[in-house]
Amino acid sequence: MRDPYTVLGVPRSASEKDIKSAYRKLAKKYHPDQNPEDPAAHSKFAEATNAYDLLNDTAKRAQFDRGEIDADGNPKFAGFHPGAGGQRGGRSTQGGFTAEDILKEFMSGFGGQQRGAGAGAGRAGAGGAQWDPFAGTASPGGGARAMKGEDVVVNATVSLEDAHKAASVPVRMPNGKVLSVKLPEKVEEGQQIRLKGQGSPGMGEPGDALVTVRFEKSKQFRRDGADLRTDVPITLYEAVLGAKVRVPTLDGSVELNLPPGIDTGKALRLKGKGLYGDGDLYANLKVILPPGGDADLEALARFMRDQKPYKVRD
């Protein structure tokens, strides 16, 4: 993978907020759901996700910045130290490596024979395994890591309530297995959660599962960024005389005092009751008339119309 800072288009000094913001923009632009017929977009989305996974992990980011791991999170090859003296493989290096030592050091980067190992350890027919750099694996007895399985991408449709509480939700894998996945704090639409070792099996370790979060449509709330809106039905007499009504929120219902003669054309604002507490909740009061009509109410309405008319519009 390319340098993760380059992939996300941020400097190495970027803050966590800058990194998250850059990833959101790329994820929105290249997400497979937005580009179902564009393999290049799928590739860029996966690349951006991998870059974000590395830089969003404080420990891994520090290791990458120090040059200890590469962009895929794998440890880097330590390299050579030609100035070291002493004995190597039974021969004096006289302040440097012999050609055989350099070859052994090179092969150790592929899981082959280490410096100082016996001469026959990495040769075919000597009880060991011959490393094939083109096959990507080692024959039985070798020390190379076999090829990793492929990653799989699955969607997790979650409710606003579960996202708000960072709850654990069930996610069904392509193989039919159901996993319980803990949602991150303040999870965003389209954000991916990486599950190590839950992907397709390979010749070595299995791949990972990339769980893409989708918010399901709520029957109770309408989302506007971090703000939420909900409808609260009330009776006519509650609007006229005032009342105590219960208003649903993501944290449970709360009781709200309605003053007499309240104007139902305006929404009531409940500060800090939006998604993740970052936004507000707006309760729209809706007067519900009795089903089938009411003779007394109709008589009262006629009396008010004839005796004391008032305007609600110009």
Side-chain angles (χ1 to χ4, degrees):
M1 190 177 75
R2 292 189 296 148
D3 184 294
Y5 292 101
T6 302
V7 172
L8 298 181
V10 298
R12 301 183 83 85
S13 58
S15 65
E16 292 182 7
K17 183 177 180 181
D18 292 337
I19 290 172
K20 188 172 185 179
S21 177
Y23 170 68
R24 286 178 181 172
K25 291 179 181 179
L26 292 174
K28 183 176 181 180
K29 181 178 181 181
Y30 295 115
H31 197 279
D33 288 352
Q34 302 295 327
N35 307 273
E37 305 298 331
D38 188 354
H42 299 182
S43 177
K44 290 181 179 180
F45 177 78
E47 186 179 45
T49 298
N50 290 335
Y52 175 74
D53 286 344
L54 189 146
L55 297 183
N56 191 48
D57 187 313
T58 304
K60 287 185 178 180
R61 181 180 180 183
Q63 288 179 303
F64 178 79
D65 290 343
R66 292 193 298 265
E68 296 173 1
I69 60 175
D70 60 19
D72 289 315
N74 299 318
K76 284 191 174 181
F77 178 45
F80 306 113
H81 304 282
Q87 295 295 117
R88 299 286 185 180
R91 296 187 304 279
S92 173
T93 62
Q94 299 297 324
F97 286 137
T98 66
E100 184 177 353
D101 287 331
I102 294 176
L103 178 60
K104 291 177 181 178
E105 181 72 25
F106 175 77
M107 293 304 293
S108 71
F110 295 95
Q113 184 178 351
Q114 302 293 326
R115 291 199 307 270
R123 297 172 185 159
Q130 187 77 30
W131 168 254
D132 183 354
F134 299 101
T137 59
S139 55
R145 185 176 65 180
M147 295 179 67
K148 184 179 178 181
E150 292 185 355
D151 294 343
V152 297
V153 178
V154 295
N155 288 330
T157 303
V158 303
S159 66
L160 289 176
E161 289 82 358
D162 284 341
H164 182 72
K165 298 174 183 177
S168 294
V169 297
V171 177
R172 184 175 295 277
M173 296 291 108
N175 60 6
K177 183 179 180 181
V178 177
L179 302 178
S180 178
V181 178
K182 180 72 166 62
L183 297 176
E185 296 288 337
K186 298 185 177 182
V187 65
E188 292 291 338
E189 174 87 11
Q191 184 174 338
Q192 283 195 327
I193 305 169
R194 182 179 291 272
L195 305 179
K196 294 288 187 182
Q198 296 296 337
S200 300
M203 297 179 67
E205 61 179 316
D208 302 332
L210 303 177
V211 180
T212 304
V213 175
R214 296 293 179 202
F215 288 159
E216 69 180 9
K217 186 175 181 180
S218 174
K219 297 180 180 179
Q220 188 73 67
F221 303 101
R222 298 181 297 278
R223 184 184 176 202
D224 182 12
D227 292 336
L228 299 174
R229 294 185 179 275
T230 187
D231 294 330
V232 179
I234 61 173
T235 63
L236 179 60
Y237 63 81
E238 286 176 329
V240 175
L241 302 176
K244 290 183 178 181
V245 297
R246 299 199 68 79
V247 178
T249 75
L250 293 178
D251 298 306
S253 297
V254 297
E255 195 171 71
L256 194 62
N257 288 319
L258 301 182
I262 190 169
D263 184 358
T264 58
K266 297 180 180 180
L268 301 180
R269 176 185 175 215
L270 282 70
K271 188 175 182 180
K273 289 298 183 179
L275 186 61
Y276 307 135
D278 294 337
D280 303 327
L281 173 66
Y282 293 87
N284 300 314
L285 301 178
K286 299 183 67 175
V287 173
I288 306 298
L289 297 178
D294 183 280
D296 291 337
L297 180 60
E298 292 174 3
L300 176 61
R302 291 190 188 97
F303 174 80
M304 293 179 63
R305 180 191 63 187
D306 298 336
Q307 301 297 322
K308 195 177 181 181
Y310 65 95
K311 294 182 178 181
V312 294
R313 57 187 176 274
D314 294 333

